[in-house]
């Protein structure tokens, strides 16, 4: 495993555990103070860790009881000792109040940089494709057996 992929894997593991535990402090420990986040939801961009932390707090506050997870697949990472770009698909899943399993898929890219000797996320970008016919965001990823990265 390359160093870049090992760093990215540590980030996805920490992020996943923080989502499961609804641990805002653990998630925010991954981000640079001046992070810029292009999130899939509502706000055009979040400027700085305080603003992004507020959004994370609102997300965790909105979560009803039950099991929640963030599962990363097809993680890739490129870079060296200064900058790493990590990309992955991430599935956010939870059980609805009726007990049904619900989920939403995103595409995720992180730009990781060194800050005071530690890797941090300097930029995060999440997205999902838009259905050309309906104009709606597609949040359920169908995996084609002939093209596993679809």
């Amino acid at each position: 495993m390359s160093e870049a992929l090992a760093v990215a894997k540590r980030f996805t593991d920490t992020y996943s555990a923080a989502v499961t535990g609804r641990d805002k402090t653990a998630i925010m420990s991954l981000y640079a103070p001046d992070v810029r986040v292009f999130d899939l939801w509502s706000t055009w961009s979040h400027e700085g860790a305080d603003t992004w932390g507020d959004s994370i707090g609102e997300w965790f506050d909105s979560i009803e009881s039950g099991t929640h997870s963030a599962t990363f697949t097809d993680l890739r990472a490129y870079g060296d000792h200064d900058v790493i770009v990590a990309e992955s698909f991430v599935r956010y899943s939870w059980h609805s109040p009726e007990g049904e399993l619900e989920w939403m898929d995103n595409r995720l890219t992180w730009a990781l940089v060194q800050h005071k000797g530690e890797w941090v996320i300097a930029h995060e970008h999440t997205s999902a494709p838009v259905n050309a016919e309906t104009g709606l965001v597609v949040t359920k990823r169908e995996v084609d057996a002939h093209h596993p990265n679809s």
Side-chain angles (χ1 to χ4, degrees):
M1 177 182 299
S2 72
E3 178 186 357
L5 189 56
V7 169
K9 180 76 171 104
R10 283 196 315 267
F11 271 70
T12 59
D13 289 349
T14 299
Y15 188 98
S16 292
V19 168
T20 298
R22 294 181 228 173
D23 187 343
K24 178 181 167 184
T25 301
I27 258 191
M28 292 310 300
S29 74
L30 300 174
Y31 292 90
D34 60 348
V35 66
R36 174 184 258 184
V37 177
F38 296 160
D39 193 27
L40 183 62
W41 297 101
S42 303
T43 303
W44 195 248
S45 69
H46 298 275
E47 306 293 332
D50 289 341
T51 302
W52 183 230
D54 290 345
S55 182
I56 295 291
E58 290 171 11
W59 171 36
F60 284 166
D61 288 346
S62 74
I63 293 174
E64 298 178 21
S65 62
T67 305
H68 297 77
S69 65
T71 305
F72 291 82
T73 57
D74 196 22
L75 176 64
R76 298 177 186 191
Y78 320 90
D80 56 28
H81 59 276
D82 293 324
V83 176
I84 294 173
V85 175
E87 59 176 82
S88 184
F89 299 105
V90 60
R91 174 166 286 176
Y92 297 95
S93 58
W94 63 95
H95 285 91
S96 72
E98 296 78 29
E100 300 283 328
L101 179 64
E102 304 275 347
W103 75 90
M104 175 183 76
D105 297 317
N106 283 194
R107 301 177 291 202
L108 175 78
T109 304
W110 283 328
L112 306 169
V113 300
Q114 288 282 332
H115 176 73
K116 297 182 179 180
E118 299 290 330
W119 287 105
V120 293
I121 301 167
H123 177 67
E124 175 175 305
H125 190 123
T126 57
S127 67
V130 173
N131 181 301
E133 293 176 14
T134 66
L136 298 174
V137 175
V138 179
T139 60
K140 303 280 193 247
R141 180 172 164 247
E142 294 184 32
V143 179
D144 179 342
H146 300 290
H147 190 260
N149 297 326
S150 62

